[in-house]
Amino acid sequence: MNRLLYNVEDKPPFGLSLLLAAQHLLAALGGIIAVPLVIGNVLKLPTADTITLVNAALLVSGLVTVVQCRGLGPIGIRLPSVMGTSFTFVAAALAIGFSEYGVSGILGASLVGSLVMIVGSFFMPSIRKLFPPVVTGTVVMMIGLSLIPVAVDWFAGGQRGDADYATPANLMMATFVLVIVIVLVQWGKGIFSAAAIVIGMMTGYIVALVLGWVSFDGVKNADIFALPQPLHFGLSFPISGIIGMSIAYLVTIVESSGNFLALGNATQTEITGKHLRGGVLADGLGSALAAIMSTTPFSSFSQNIGVISLTEVASRYVVALTGVLLVLAGLFPVFGALIVSIPLPVLGGAGLMMFAMIIAAGIQMLDTVERSRRNGLIIAISIGCGLAVTTRPELLDKLPHFFKEVLGSGITVGSLLAIILNLILPEEKTPQE
């Protein structure tokens, strides 16, 4: 295993830490604001309400990230974990949002449902036993594989069907950023290697600026300063919504467990039941805080594990500083708007490399697993079915809502299958000498 440039407890100089924190911010920001933007747009909320959701998401993401990294009593994994709004909850949130309860129902159901995660966190030492190396390696690999389509769409500059999707110009820009990141990681020294992602993206951004690709409309329209608005939408408690959210929280426990195990691999830390308990408890309490502060539930961000794997900077103090930057982005919306102005191909060039590094980490973990028919089945079936849901989500369209809710994430499908198969497939007997 490669030696890390900075270990979990290391504190790089402040200037370097700020640059490294900016890398994590760039990787996470799009994902953090995407969920409130989707909910706001689909439910056709007034612009002011959507902005409230977004600002609260940034602010609470920052607070929970700081707690997750630094720890607060039993709360927090004390590893470099960036927290943000989770797509796992979008289907349940929209189902509630279209009912008579609206956004107040989404937030009320989120608040009650968070108890599932808070209570579940105390059983994490037992849950840790469900993740031997064959399961952990499979889950980590599935996390990377499920993120690749996101990176590919960034690389191509949008969503399939868009007029400028995968234009030669977009592909050239993304490839340009990718090459810079590869060169800096492989041959750069010191800060140039550690900050390869942000340097690559800054270079791409400058080129995009010269080419006239950057729109500052969002920056012009953003408020310079905005205070959080707790209980802006109020709270209501629909029973069906609480059930749907509770299921989503159960799914998130599995997803977060996989992310934390991948984080352990990236930071060269052995993840114990205590780590998982603190991490999942921070997830649950952070989601409860999110509901009170007027935004949607939270989970750990897998894309930032790719940043750690690529840069070999595992300092939790760097990522805690990312949390501080997120809080500032929530209080100063113009700051977040400036980050969002980065063209997608610039993000894609770095993103493809980051997410592929997670796949490589999973392969390396599986390389230590005994080669046997049983382990081969666990890996093949889990990844095959996880990819089926990731690449063809319409596979679940005709299933009842409950199954779509539970099986909507390829990470969840792959994780659950790996855990179940590991429990039910008999261990192969070693031949007698």
Side-chain angles (χ1 to χ4, degrees), residues 7 13 24 49 58 105 114 116 157-158 167 175 177-178 180 218 236 242 251 286 346 384 393 412 430:
N7 292 307
H24 284 282
D49 283 351
L58 290 167
S114 67
V116 169
T167 59
T175 304
V177 174
L178 176 62
I180 289 175
S236 53
I242 290 170
V251 170
V346 175
T412 303
T430 54

PDB file of all heavy atoms in Angstrom, residues 7 13 24 49 58 105 114 116 157-158 167 175 177-178 180 218 236 242 251 286 346 384 393 412 430:
ATOM      1  N   ASN A   7      -1.323  11.849   6.777  1.00  0.00           N
ATOM      2  CA  ASN A   7      -2.165  10.878   7.462  1.00  0.00           C
ATOM      3  C   ASN A   7      -3.359  11.564   8.128  1.00  0.00           C
ATOM      4  O   ASN A   7      -3.452  12.801   8.133  1.00  0.00           O
ATOM      5  CB  ASN A   7      -1.340  10.111   8.503  1.00  0.00           C
ATOM      6  CG  ASN A   7      -0.310   9.213   7.843  1.00  0.00           C
ATOM      7  OD1 ASN A   7      -0.636   8.405   6.982  1.00  0.00           O
ATOM      8  ND2 ASN A   7       0.959   9.381   8.227  1.00  0.00           N
ATOM      9  N   PRO A  13       0.219  22.786   6.475  1.00  0.00           N
ATOM     10  CA  PRO A  13       0.203  24.249   6.654  1.00  0.00           C
ATOM     11  C   PRO A  13      -1.130  24.835   6.187  1.00  0.00           C
ATOM     12  O   PRO A  13      -1.764  24.304   5.264  1.00  0.00           O
ATOM     13  CB  PRO A  13       1.361  24.726   5.769  1.00  0.00           C
ATOM     14  CG  PRO A  13       2.257  23.538   5.622  1.00  0.00           C
ATOM     15  CD  PRO A  13       1.371  22.333   5.675  1.00  0.00           C
ATOM     16  N   HIS A  24     -11.960  19.359  -2.137  1.00  0.00           N
ATOM     17  CA  HIS A  24     -13.123  18.618  -1.644  1.00  0.00           C
ATOM     18  C   HIS A  24     -14.405  19.412  -1.872  1.00  0.00           C
ATOM     19  O   HIS A  24     -15.450  18.837  -2.197  1.00  0.00           O
ATOM     20  CB  HIS A  24     -12.947  18.310  -0.154  1.00  0.00           C
ATOM     21  CG  HIS A  24     -11.988  17.195   0.109  1.00  0.00           C
ATOM     22  ND1 HIS A  24     -12.330  15.869  -0.044  1.00  0.00           N
ATOM     23  CD2 HIS A  24     -10.691  17.197   0.502  1.00  0.00           C
ATOM     24  CE1 HIS A  24     -11.292  15.099   0.252  1.00  0.00           C
ATOM     25  NE2 HIS A  24     -10.274  15.888   0.573  1.00  0.00           N
ATOM     26  N   ASP A  49     -38.021  29.931  -2.228  1.00  0.00           N
ATOM     27  CA  ASP A  49     -38.072  28.700  -1.424  1.00  0.00           C
ATOM     28  C   ASP A  49     -36.968  27.726  -1.829  1.00  0.00           C
ATOM     29  O   ASP A  49     -36.370  27.055  -0.979  1.00  0.00           O
ATOM     30  CB  ASP A  49     -39.444  28.030  -1.572  1.00  0.00           C
ATOM     31  CG  ASP A  49     -40.519  28.732  -0.762  1.00  0.00           C
ATOM     32  OD1 ASP A  49     -40.167  29.615   0.041  1.00  0.00           O
ATOM     33  OD2 ASP A  49     -41.711  28.398  -0.922  1.00  0.00           O
ATOM     34  N   LEU A  58     -26.225  23.707   2.161  1.00  0.00           N
ATOM     35  CA  LEU A  58     -24.797  24.043   2.248  1.00  0.00           C
ATOM     36  C   LEU A  58     -24.374  24.268   3.702  1.00  0.00           C
ATOM     37  O   LEU A  58     -23.345  23.756   4.158  1.00  0.00           O
ATOM     38  CB  LEU A  58     -24.504  25.289   1.412  1.00  0.00           C
ATOM     39  CG  LEU A  58     -24.591  25.123  -0.104  1.00  0.00           C
ATOM     40  CD1 LEU A  58     -24.607  26.478  -0.797  1.00  0.00           C
ATOM     41  CD2 LEU A  58     -23.443  24.279  -0.627  1.00  0.00           C
ATOM     42  N   GLY A 105     -44.388  18.300   4.859  1.00  0.00           N
ATOM     43  CA  GLY A 105     -44.488  16.848   5.042  1.00  0.00           C
ATOM     44  C   GLY A 105     -43.145  16.159   4.808  1.00  0.00           C
ATOM     45  O   GLY A 105     -42.795  15.216   5.526  1.00  0.00           O
ATOM     46  N   SER A 114     -35.407  10.071  10.805  1.00  0.00           N
ATOM     47  CA  SER A 114     -33.994  10.097  11.215  1.00  0.00           C
ATOM     48  C   SER A 114     -33.757   9.264  12.472  1.00  0.00           C
ATOM     49  O   SER A 114     -32.633   8.832  12.739  1.00  0.00           O
ATOM     50  CB  SER A 114     -33.518  11.534  11.448  1.00  0.00           C
ATOM     51  OG  SER A 114     -34.170  12.107  12.573  1.00  0.00           O
ATOM     52  N   VAL A 116     -34.600   6.292  12.854  1.00  0.00           N
ATOM     53  CA  VAL A 116     -34.165   4.968  12.375  1.00  0.00           C
ATOM     54  C   VAL A 116     -32.638   4.919  12.341  1.00  0.00           C
ATOM     55  O   VAL A 116     -32.012   3.950  12.787  1.00  0.00           O
ATOM     56  CB  VAL A 116     -34.745   4.674  10.972  1.00  0.00           C
ATOM     57  CG1 VAL A 116     -34.098   3.436  10.355  1.00  0.00           C
ATOM     58  CG2 VAL A 116     -36.252   4.508  11.053  1.00  0.00           C
ATOM     59  N   GLY A 157     -20.588  17.009 -20.714  1.00  0.00           N
ATOM     60  CA  GLY A 157     -21.113  18.370 -20.629  1.00  0.00           C
ATOM     61  C   GLY A 157     -22.592  18.494 -20.380  1.00  0.00           C
ATOM     62  O   GLY A 157     -23.188  19.527 -20.704  1.00  0.00           O
ATOM     63  N   GLY A 158     -23.238  17.481 -19.821  1.00  0.00           N
ATOM     64  CA  GLY A 158     -24.679  17.592 -19.550  1.00  0.00           C
ATOM     65  C   GLY A 158     -25.332  16.245 -19.364  1.00  0.00           C
ATOM     66  O   GLY A 158     -24.737  15.317 -18.817  1.00  0.00           O
ATOM     67  N   THR A 167     -20.125  16.979 -27.343  1.00  0.00           N
ATOM     68  CA  THR A 167     -19.556  17.670 -28.501  1.00  0.00           C
ATOM     69  C   THR A 167     -18.033  17.551 -28.438  1.00  0.00           C
ATOM     70  O   THR A 167     -17.459  17.416 -27.351  1.00  0.00           O
ATOM     71  CB  THR A 167     -19.949  19.161 -28.506  1.00  0.00           C
ATOM     72  OG1 THR A 167     -19.478  19.756 -27.291  1.00  0.00           O
ATOM     73  CG2 THR A 167     -21.456  19.337 -28.625  1.00  0.00           C
ATOM     74  N   THR A 175     -10.863  16.185 -21.490  1.00  0.00           N
ATOM     75  CA  THR A 175      -9.614  15.432 -21.661  1.00  0.00           C
ATOM     76  C   THR A 175      -8.409  16.276 -21.259  1.00  0.00           C
ATOM     77  O   THR A 175      -7.459  15.784 -20.635  1.00  0.00           O
ATOM     78  CB  THR A 175      -9.462  14.972 -23.131  1.00  0.00           C
ATOM     79  OG1 THR A 175     -10.609  14.206 -23.496  1.00  0.00           O
ATOM     80  CG2 THR A 175      -8.205  14.140 -23.323  1.00  0.00           C
ATOM     81  N   VAL A 177      -8.317  18.634 -18.954  1.00  0.00           N
ATOM     82  CA  VAL A 177      -8.253  18.649 -17.484  1.00  0.00           C
ATOM     83  C   VAL A 177      -7.767  17.295 -16.965  1.00  0.00           C
ATOM     84  O   VAL A 177      -6.922  17.225 -16.061  1.00  0.00           O
ATOM     85  CB  VAL A 177      -9.627  19.004 -16.879  1.00  0.00           C
ATOM     86  CG1 VAL A 177      -9.605  18.873 -15.350  1.00  0.00           C
ATOM     87  CG2 VAL A 177     -10.048  20.416 -17.281  1.00  0.00           C
ATOM     88  N   LEU A 178      -8.263  16.217 -17.540  1.00  0.00           N
ATOM     89  CA  LEU A 178      -7.864  14.865 -17.123  1.00  0.00           C
ATOM     90  C   LEU A 178      -6.359  14.666 -17.279  1.00  0.00           C
ATOM     91  O   LEU A 178      -5.684  14.147 -16.372  1.00  0.00           O
ATOM     92  CB  LEU A 178      -8.624  13.821 -17.953  1.00  0.00           C
ATOM     93  CG  LEU A 178      -8.266  12.344 -17.725  1.00  0.00           C
ATOM     94  CD1 LEU A 178      -8.553  11.932 -16.290  1.00  0.00           C
ATOM     95  CD2 LEU A 178      -9.037  11.454 -18.697  1.00  0.00           C
ATOM     96  N   ILE A 180      -3.999  16.967 -17.356  1.00  0.00           N
ATOM     97  CA  ILE A 180      -3.281  17.792 -16.373  1.00  0.00           C
ATOM     98  C   ILE A 180      -3.251  17.095 -15.010  1.00  0.00           C
ATOM     99  O   ILE A 180      -2.213  17.019 -14.349  1.00  0.00           O
ATOM    100  CB  ILE A 180      -3.947  19.183 -16.241  1.00  0.00           C
ATOM    101  CG1 ILE A 180      -3.686  20.005 -17.507  1.00  0.00           C
ATOM    102  CG2 ILE A 180      -3.403  19.934 -15.012  1.00  0.00           C
ATOM    103  CD1 ILE A 180      -4.400  21.332 -17.529  1.00  0.00           C
ATOM    104  N   GLY A 218     -25.760  33.333 -12.579  1.00  0.00           N
ATOM    105  CA  GLY A 218     -26.089  32.865 -11.229  1.00  0.00           C
ATOM    106  C   GLY A 218     -25.401  33.693 -10.163  1.00  0.00           C
ATOM    107  O   GLY A 218     -25.970  33.958  -9.103  1.00  0.00           O
ATOM    108  N   SER A 236     -44.965  18.841   9.124  1.00  0.00           N
ATOM    109  CA  SER A 236     -46.173  18.013   9.260  1.00  0.00           C
ATOM    110  C   SER A 236     -45.732  16.560   9.144  1.00  0.00           C
ATOM    111  O   SER A 236     -44.642  16.271   8.641  1.00  0.00           O
ATOM    112  CB  SER A 236     -47.231  18.373   8.215  1.00  0.00           C
ATOM    113  OG  SER A 236     -46.689  18.343   6.910  1.00  0.00           O
ATOM    114  N   ILE A 242     -43.658   9.060   6.497  1.00  0.00           N
ATOM    115  CA  ILE A 242     -42.699   8.637   7.526  1.00  0.00           C
ATOM    116  C   ILE A 242     -42.199   7.225   7.222  1.00  0.00           C
ATOM    117  O   ILE A 242     -41.000   6.935   7.351  1.00  0.00           O
ATOM    118  CB  ILE A 242     -43.351   8.698   8.928  1.00  0.00           C
ATOM    119  CG1 ILE A 242     -43.564  10.163   9.334  1.00  0.00           C
ATOM    120  CG2 ILE A 242     -42.484   7.975   9.966  1.00  0.00           C
ATOM    121  CD1 ILE A 242     -44.420  10.348  10.574  1.00  0.00           C
ATOM    122  N   VAL A 251     -31.860   2.150   3.992  1.00  0.00           N
ATOM    123  CA  VAL A 251     -30.994   2.002   2.815  1.00  0.00           C
ATOM    124  C   VAL A 251     -29.714   2.822   3.003  1.00  0.00           C
ATOM    125  O   VAL A 251     -28.605   2.372   2.695  1.00  0.00           O
ATOM    126  CB  VAL A 251     -31.742   2.446   1.541  1.00  0.00           C
ATOM    127  CG1 VAL A 251     -30.790   2.537   0.349  1.00  0.00           C
ATOM    128  CG2 VAL A 251     -32.889   1.497   1.233  1.00  0.00           C
ATOM    129  N   GLY A 286     -27.431  14.689  11.911  1.00  0.00           N
ATOM    130  CA  GLY A 286     -27.309  15.725  10.881  1.00  0.00           C
ATOM    131  C   GLY A 286     -28.574  15.834  10.048  1.00  0.00           C
ATOM    132  O   GLY A 286     -29.006  16.938   9.690  1.00  0.00           O
ATOM    133  N   VAL A 346     -15.175  20.588 -17.248  1.00  0.00           N
ATOM    134  CA  VAL A 346     -14.030  20.823 -16.362  1.00  0.00           C
ATOM    135  C   VAL A 346     -14.145  19.911 -15.137  1.00  0.00           C
ATOM    136  O   VAL A 346     -13.175  19.294 -14.701  1.00  0.00           O
ATOM    137  CB  VAL A 346     -13.965  22.308 -15.948  1.00  0.00           C
ATOM    138  CG1 VAL A 346     -12.857  22.542 -14.928  1.00  0.00           C
ATOM    139  CG2 VAL A 346     -13.745  23.196 -17.173  1.00  0.00           C
ATOM    140  N   GLY A 384     -22.761  -7.410 -10.697  1.00  0.00           N
ATOM    141  CA  GLY A 384     -23.631  -7.516 -11.873  1.00  0.00           C
ATOM    142  C   GLY A 384     -24.997  -6.903 -11.627  1.00  0.00           C
ATOM    143  O   GLY A 384     -25.493  -6.110 -12.435  1.00  0.00           O
ATOM    144  N   PRO A 393     -31.861   2.061 -14.784  1.00  0.00           N
ATOM    145  CA  PRO A 393     -32.779   2.263 -13.659  1.00  0.00           C
ATOM    146  C   PRO A 393     -34.230   1.963 -14.004  1.00  0.00           C
ATOM    147  O   PRO A 393     -35.044   1.639 -13.132  1.00  0.00           O
ATOM    148  CB  PRO A 393     -32.591   3.747 -13.305  1.00  0.00           C
ATOM    149  CG  PRO A 393     -31.891   4.355 -14.477  1.00  0.00           C
ATOM    150  CD  PRO A 393     -31.119   3.273 -15.133  1.00  0.00           C
ATOM    151  N   THR A 412     -26.707   0.256  -3.054  1.00  0.00           N
ATOM    152  CA  THR A 412     -27.523  -0.491  -2.082  1.00  0.00           C
ATOM    153  C   THR A 412     -27.744  -1.920  -2.545  1.00  0.00           C
ATOM    154  O   THR A 412     -27.600  -2.872  -1.761  1.00  0.00           O
ATOM    155  CB  THR A 412     -28.874   0.218  -1.873  1.00  0.00           C
ATOM    156  OG1 THR A 412     -28.633   1.559  -1.453  1.00  0.00           O
ATOM    157  CG2 THR A 412     -29.711  -0.500  -0.831  1.00  0.00           C
ATOM    158  N   THR A 430     -11.565 -26.642   3.178  1.00  0.00           N
ATOM    159  CA  THR A 430     -10.198 -26.808   2.667  1.00  0.00           C
ATOM    160  C   THR A 430      -9.866 -28.293   2.634  1.00  0.00           C
ATOM    161  O   THR A 430     -10.235 -29.050   3.549  1.00  0.00           O
ATOM    162  CB  THR A 430      -9.186 -26.087   3.574  1.00  0.00           C
ATOM    163  OG1 THR A 430      -9.365 -26.534   4.916  1.00  0.00           O
ATOM    164  CG2 THR A 430      -9.383 -24.591   3.502  1.00  0.00           C
TER     165      THR A 430
END
